[in-house]
Amino acid sequence: SLRTSRFRVNGSAQLQRRSVPNLLELQGQIQPAAALLAPFTNQLVPGATVTMQGTQGGSLLLSAPLALPLDIRQLTLAAQIPLTELRLPGLTLHDLTLPLDLNRGLLRLQVAGAVGAVDGGRVNVQPQWKWPEGQEVRPVLTLAAESEVLSRVPLSRALTGGLLAYLPPLGSLVQASGTMDLTLTHFSLPLHGKRQADFALRLGLGQAKPQAMPVLRELLDSAGLGEVPLRFKERQLSCEGREGALRCAPLRLLAGDAEISLSGHLQRDGSLACRVEVPVSEQLAREAGLVVHGPFVAVAEMSGSRTAPVFDRQAFLGSLAAQLAAALPPPMVEQGPPSEMAVGNAETPAPPPAEATPL
């Protein structure tokens, strides 16, 4: 029996003297503490919490050289790690067993199971840590290409505000409901130096519905779209992380026939920079004190942080005249008192659309 602060092992050991250096071979049961897996789960998903199963242990096979310093590339290990609960940001897995395998400097782990109760979707993450040549070199964490790590997982508020909050504009400007899939097209994280992940992912939104969060709702209210139900125009959202910054492809929403485009990125310090493109409606033009003939698209800037985005409505309305003037030559945009504004109402037919490229 062997006890440490990270695990307890019960089993039989055998010393093999036929090789140089000598090998210690151990077979038995391992009962790990949360501290054993916490470094690995926190590397994979920062903020993950591990709750270990009670007294039941898992199987263990170990072959280790009796030489110092220990070369992990000469260590062989196979284990089954039982867990009562694994908590990720917005996700909780119950009663699962994690297969763990180490051979020739390559450590493989599989985290697979159902999320929550019935019909809660599934998680399947298979990370691996590779130790290159050299005693002082730390490993590189990777996942297999085209890994579908989440399948039909419900978009709870905890998930959207947790894991998905790192994928602007989701979680900061848009709240989603329904279910989602998540596929990592590639993922690599060197566990040395700056420790910045290089990855790309696809978020499946075919069974999801969007809802505007407060800062976006304020903009949509100004455009007369606040009460119009939203829907995703595309079924997928692609994002990539590189050198500490995270960028996503534009997320296009439909409010009736109107299209709203959201794009942005999250900096390493947590600051948010998003831009929202909305059609200039009669109501929006009137609020800005403008007369507008023809279809136009205005750009609103969102800043702040992912947890506290900021929209300056007055600055946006003040910039609208300059945006429209840059799109079309005068006199297509006229400025005047709000009382004189009327764009395409029932009594005065609107002029035909202008031939111009929207902003």
Side-chain angles (χ1 to χ4, degrees), residues 196-213:
Q196 293 177 348
D198 186 339
F199 65 91
L201 60 85
R202 294 193 308 273
L203 197 63
L205 299 170
Q207 302 299 319
K209 294 182 179 180
Q211 181 179 358
M213 297 186 74

Side-chain angles (χ1 to χ4, degrees), residues 255-340:
D257 295 329
E259 180 174 322
I260 304 147
S261 179
L262 303 95
S263 58
H265 63 277
L266 190 65
Q267 294 289 2
R268 189 180 181 186
D269 62 0
S271 61
L272 180 71
C274 287
R275 49 185 282 143
V276 182
E277 299 180 6
V278 294
V280 178
S281 62
E282 177 182 350
Q283 177 177 325
L284 183 57
R286 186 164 53 245
E287 286 198 26
L290 301 174
V291 174
V292 178
H293 304 315
F296 295 94
V297 172
V299 176
E301 303 288 344
M302 307 281 184
S303 57
S305 67
R306 66 178 183 84
T307 57
V310 175
F311 168 55
D312 190 333
R313 178 175 173 274
Q314 293 303 319
F316 167 65
L317 293 176
S319 71
L320 203 54
Q323 290 191 44
L324 302 184
L328 286 179
M332 300 308 296
V333 179
E334 304 169 10
Q335 191 153 6
S339 59
E340 298 178 5

Side-chain angles (χ1 to χ4, degrees), residues 124-174:
N124 186 8
V125 186
Q126 301 183 42
Q128 60 183 30
W129 290 259
K130 176 66 175 178
W131 278 263
E133 297 286 341
Q135 296 285 347
E136 302 300 324
V137 179
R138 291 181 176 269
V140 177
L141 170 60
T142 60
L143 275 78
E146 297 296 327
S147 297
E148 186 178 50
V149 297
L150 301 179
S151 175
R152 301 186 306 278
V153 172
L155 279 160
S156 64
R157 185 173 296 273
L159 179 61
T160 307
L163 182 63
L164 299 187
Y166 292 92
L167 306 179
L170 286 177
S172 51
L173 304 184
V174 177

Side-chain angles (χ1 to χ4, degrees), residues 102-121:
L102 173 63
N103 189 26
R104 298 181 182 274
L106 181 63
L107 175 64
R108 299 183 183 92
L109 175 68
Q110 182 177 14
V111 180
V115 178
V118 180
D119 297 329

